[in-house]
Amino acid sequence: MDDGAAGGEQRDVGVAEPGAPPGPTTARARSPASTARARTPASTARVAIPGSTTLPEGSESSPASAGRGRRLLFWRSPADQPGWARPTLLVIAAAAAWSYCWRAANAVNIEIYYAAAVRSMSMSFRNFVFGAFDPDGTVTTDKLPGAFWLQAISVRLFGVHNWALVLPQVIEGTVTVLVLYHAVRRLAGPAAGVLAAGILAISPATVALNRGNISDTLMILLAVMAADATVTAVLTGRRRPIIVAGVLVGLAFQAKMIEAWLVLPAVAACYLLAAPGGWPERIRRTSAMGVVALAVSLSWMTAVTLWPASMRPYFDGSYDNSVFQQVFVYNGFGRLDQASPDQLVDKSINLGLPAPPPPAWDRLLTGSLGRDTGWLLAAAVITVICGIAARGRQARRDPIRACLVLWAAWLAVLAVTFSVSTAINSYYTAALSPAVAAVLGTGLALGWRHRRSRLTALVLGAVVAGTAAYAWRLLPASGTGLPPWLKPATAVLAAAAICCLAAGWLRWPIVRAASTVRAASTVPAASIVIAALAVLAVPLVASVSVVSSGLGPFETPFQSEQATADATAFFGAGFQAAQILPGLEAADRSTPFLMATQTAVLAAPFIYASGREVLPIGGFTGTIPEPTLSDLKFQIQVSDVHLFVQAPHTNDPRLTWVARNCIKITKRTGPPAILPLSVYYCGAFIFLPKGS
């Protein structure tokens, strides 16, 4: 890129050019504004630190009273940031919070299985600690309970409401926006940080995810916090921040298990590249971070494994009551070559779930996954390649290159994993959004700094043309919340941006005839702004459509009207349980358990609606050996349970015994059945000798 342009625009992002000699002055001519800044008292003067951001001298030793005053004026930017940075960030965070909570309590946004588990966990301390799925604590959820602990606390405080389930994710998602700004700003400057926060806030996958009760939101927050701690370690050279990063990755593991470990290569790459000290010291600290992450990750699993099995729930997702099998096989490496849990439960009770996109190199770029997160992937890849190439001659600790390496590694590892996994839900792709936002925020800030460079015009032209062409291809002819003007507007914005970039490239007369520096920069500045609008317009409209249409984690922007209707019917069906509860309770008031069901999926709606025990036979998928047939016979004999709900055709020995020995109920009340299920009544009389 044009080095002269880079030097002249350094102040736009507040980042000292890496490799520049330290000192308060430089050899280039000063503008009146810079001359005025040179007269600023030493207590607030900025000192350029090679390979780091410009920090206010003496900021670590500011008086406590001044600190209290700044906290009261929280909307004002700190001394080391431009005046517009903090207010703009707060507006972005407020808009993000609003988009996450507006109409988010719709039934279609709630995963009823997790909702039932959270209600059960809120009912007793034992259930809370072990992450029990059902009120009686016979089995756990099929995931680690980290994120559900926060939801259970919310339900305990505010009661059993959909909005109480969603509230933690709204808060976590909003904090993620703020933390991402903090992480990006310190390496690439305030402009890059604000842009990254804004792009994350308008990412459709992120908006949809944070409008539900899915655990990924907490995992993403903790992972971004780990990245921020790594940035602190890189800038300060202290040991504690990199250890904190390991702790945060371990905590993220409690929310989403192995997926949290996928950010470790990015954290390690950034630290090994840009941290101060020699290779041996950096390797030792990185290794220590990994050990800490492993120890924190396995802490809860180890503790509950050592607890006597008779005093805790059975670990769902395992065939030998092992939480390690649940995490590393059922939820881990088994996802690469085995059927997913959703596919297994669909096979058990014929839910009619649509087939997920098969593994493929372009899986994230097509169909529903493309509409969730693919809009900006091509732009991010181009930005990473060009950005790292442009910073290739900088010093090892160049902060901008460190920023790009951190988020590029995050993006690459997760994208490859999602592309090769057997099956993924669309909301998984929200984990890509922080990396995409950070890369594009940094790239746009660099483009602004180098806006008079022909190479910048060429790169931005390629990004705009590629993004617009891809969006044109990906946008369907019609869909939920799709405005008819979006395709033409995308083409117009892209054409305008390319024309402005061409004007800067060719130095058209309007640029050559400019008589002032301000006029000479008008076309390049306008081209950057219009290019950003052209790239971000479609994901922005997609996010708005998610909010206005009331969509959630299980849906994607601009999906077909039929897909929206199907999702509404499927997820809404679970909330119809409340309509038939009175009849069920009246029919069998004498038993402690409301009923027993094949799979926890069928039990979940009734647990969430009533808070009563519904015995889940076979756990989430219906395939685990809990409870045993002997357990079921005993519970029938002692009148713990009489009603059984199961698929009409099954190979499970426990359920075939029920079908052969119990009375099938043919008369039904309530709304029409969504699934083809059979209901049986198993009284203690079935154990009486025949003829008696």
Side-chain angles (χ1 to χ4, degrees):
M1 297 208 178
D2 188 337
D3 293 335
E9 298 301 325
Q10 177 177 313
R11 292 186 300 274
D12 288 334
V13 293
V15 178
E17 189 68 30
T25 62
T26 61
R28 64 175 173 270
R30 297 186 179 186
S31 65
S34 61
T35 303
R37 281 195 294 271
R39 301 190 187 103
T40 305
S43 60
T44 59
R46 297 188 179 188
V47 179
I49 302 176
S52 182
T53 56
T54 54
L55 302 174
E57 186 178 353
S59 61
E60 297 295 331
S61 59
S62 56
S65 59
R68 287 194 297 270
R70 284 196 297 270
R71 285 193 292 272
L72 292 175
L73 301 176
F74 65 91
W75 64 87
R76 292 188 178 179
S77 297
D80 63 333
Q81 299 175 38
W84 50 263
R86 178 68 63 81
T88 305
L89 176 64
L90 293 178
V91 170
I92 291 172
W98 176 84
S99 69
Y100 302 156
C101 66
W102 181 257
R103 298 178 61 191
N106 292 346
V108 72
N109 297 344
I110 303 299
E111 167 55 86
I112 195 73
Y113 170 76
Y114 297 147
V118 167
R119 177 161 191 176
S120 298
M121 290 168 62
S122 71
M123 296 173 66
S124 74
F125 182 72
R126 174 181 178 272
N127 286 357
F128 180 86
V129 171
F130 291 108
F133 164 74
D134 54 320
D136 217 45
T138 63
V139 296
T140 68
T141 63
D142 70 339
K143 306 287 190 298
L144 293 188
F148 305 131
W149 284 331
L150 300 182
Q151 295 181 26
I153 292 172
S154 178
V155 167
R156 187 76 176 183
L157 290 174
F158 303 113
V160 183
H161 308 288
N162 288 357
W163 63 264
L165 296 171
V166 177
L167 179 62
Q169 286 68 246
V170 172
I171 297 173
E172 292 157 10
T174 304
V175 174
T176 302
V177 172
L178 300 175
V179 176
L180 183 66
Y181 164 80
H182 190 254
V184 175
R185 175 189 64 80
R186 293 188 297 155
L187 289 179
V194 167
L195 286 167
I199 294 170
L200 178 62
I202 65 168
S203 298
T206 297
V207 173
L209 170 68
N210 297 340
R211 293 168 54 80
N213 62 330
I214 303 299
S215 58
D216 296 54
T217 301
L218 179 61
M219 186 276 294
I220 293 171
L221 168 61
L222 292 169
V224 173
M225 291 175 66
D228 185 48
T230 303
V231 170
T232 301
V234 166
L235 294 178
T236 64
R238 298 198 305 267
R239 179 184 304 170
R240 180 179 297 177
I242 195 64
I243 300 302
V244 170
V247 172
L248 290 167
V249 171
L251 293 177
F253 185 92
Q254 309 305 323
K256 197 61 177 177
M257 299 161 292
I258 292 180
E259 186 177 341
W261 286 356
L262 298 180
V263 305
L264 284 173
V267 168
C270 179
Y271 188 80
L272 289 172
L273 171 68
W279 273 106
E281 179 66 16
R282 282 178 279 155
I283 291 174
R284 282 196 298 269
R285 292 188 178 185
T286 303
S287 301
M289 180 269 295
V291 170
V292 169
L294 180 65
V296 176
S297 298
L298 302 183
S299 58
W300 182 86
M301 296 170 59
T302 302
V304 296
T305 298
L306 295 175
W307 203 261
S310 60
M311 300 175 64
R312 57 165 172 79
Y314 186 98
F315 290 117
D316 197 359
S318 71
Y319 294 100
D320 58 358
N321 202 7
S322 167
V323 68
F324 286 87
Q325 185 182 69
Q326 178 201 86
V327 170
F328 293 108
V329 179
Y330 175 87
N331 284 303
F333 299 105
R335 299 294 184 95
L336 298 177
D337 59 358
Q338 300 176 16
S340 70
D342 286 348
Q343 292 169 324
L344 290 174
V345 72
D346 190 35
K347 183 178 179 181
S348 294
I349 56 176
N350 192 25
L351 287 174
L353 299 176
W361 70 270
D362 61 344
R363 182 193 227 172
L364 301 177
L365 300 173
T366 59
S368 60
L369 298 180
R371 293 194 303 272
D372 235 359
T373 197
W375 309 107
L376 299 176
L377 285 181
V381 170
I382 295 174
T383 301
V384 166
I385 295 173
C386 296
I388 292 179
R391 310 297 295 187
R393 296 183 179 180
Q394 300 297 327
R396 177 181 67 82
R397 297 192 59 214
D398 174 43
I400 295 177
R401 184 175 56 204
C403 183
L404 291 172
V405 167
L406 170 63
W407 298 108
W410 175 312
L411 179 60
V413 174
L414 283 169
V416 170
T417 303
F418 292 159
S419 298
V420 301
S421 298
T422 303
I424 64 171
N425 293 313
S426 60
Y427 59 77
Y428 288 13
T429 61
L432 303 173
S433 297
V436 171
V439 165
L440 291 182
T442 302
L444 285 171
L446 282 175
W448 181 265
R449 291 174 55 189
H450 300 278
R451 58 186 176 271
R452 298 190 186 95
S453 166
R454 287 191 167 189
L455 181 57
T456 298
L458 181 63
V459 172
L460 278 176
V463 169
V464 171
T467 302
Y470 172 67
W472 185 276
R473 175 180 176 273
L474 190 60
L475 284 170
S478 62
T480 301
L482 176 62
W485 48 262
L486 184 56
K487 266 193 174 184
T490 301
V492 170
L493 279 173
I498 291 173
C499 287
C500 286
L501 292 168
W505 174 274
L506 299 173
R507 300 294 195 263
W508 282 1
I510 188 174
V511 179
R512 292 201 306 267
S515 57
T516 66
V517 174
R518 177 180 293 273
S521 64
T522 298
V523 172
S527 66
I528 300 294
V529 173
I530 299 175
L533 291 175
V535 170
L536 301 177
V538 175
L540 173 60
V541 175
S543 294
V544 170
S545 77
V546 167
V547 176
S548 62
S549 302
L551 306 184
F554 309 99
E555 299 168 292
T556 56
F558 311 142
Q559 64 187 8
S560 68
E561 298 290 351
Q562 184 60 51
T564 302
D566 291 345
T568 301
F570 181 81
F571 289 100
F575 291 86
Q576 294 179 4
Q579 301 178 29
I580 61 176
L581 270 177
L584 291 171
E585 292 174 335
D588 204 10
R589 293 176 180 173
S590 60
T591 59
F593 297 177
L594 182 62
M595 68 177 77
T597 63
Q598 181 183 5
T599 78
V601 173
L602 295 181
F606 299 98
I607 292 175
Y608 184 61
S610 68
R612 290 187 59 185
E613 171 64 15
V614 179
L615 185 64
I617 302 173
F620 180 83
T621 63
T623 60
I624 68 165
E626 174 66 25
T628 65
L629 179 55
S630 298
D631 293 335
L632 290 179
K633 291 179 178 179
F634 175 78
Q635 288 164 335
I636 294 171
Q637 282 182 308
V638 299
S639 296
D640 277 346
V641 63
H642 290 319
L643 289 178
F644 285 74
V645 178
Q646 60 191 65
H649 305 288
T650 176
N651 295 323
D652 189 318
R654 298 166 294 187
L655 301 174
T656 55
W657 181 89
V658 169
R660 286 197 307 264
N661 294 277
C662 300
I663 301 172
K664 186 175 183 179
I665 299 175
T666 57
K667 183 179 179 181
R668 301 184 182 183
T669 59
I674 302 297
L675 300 174
L677 300 172
S678 297
V679 181
Y680 294 89
Y681 183 86
C682 301
F685 62 83
I686 65 175
F687 297 101
L688 295 175
K690 292 185 178 180
S692 60

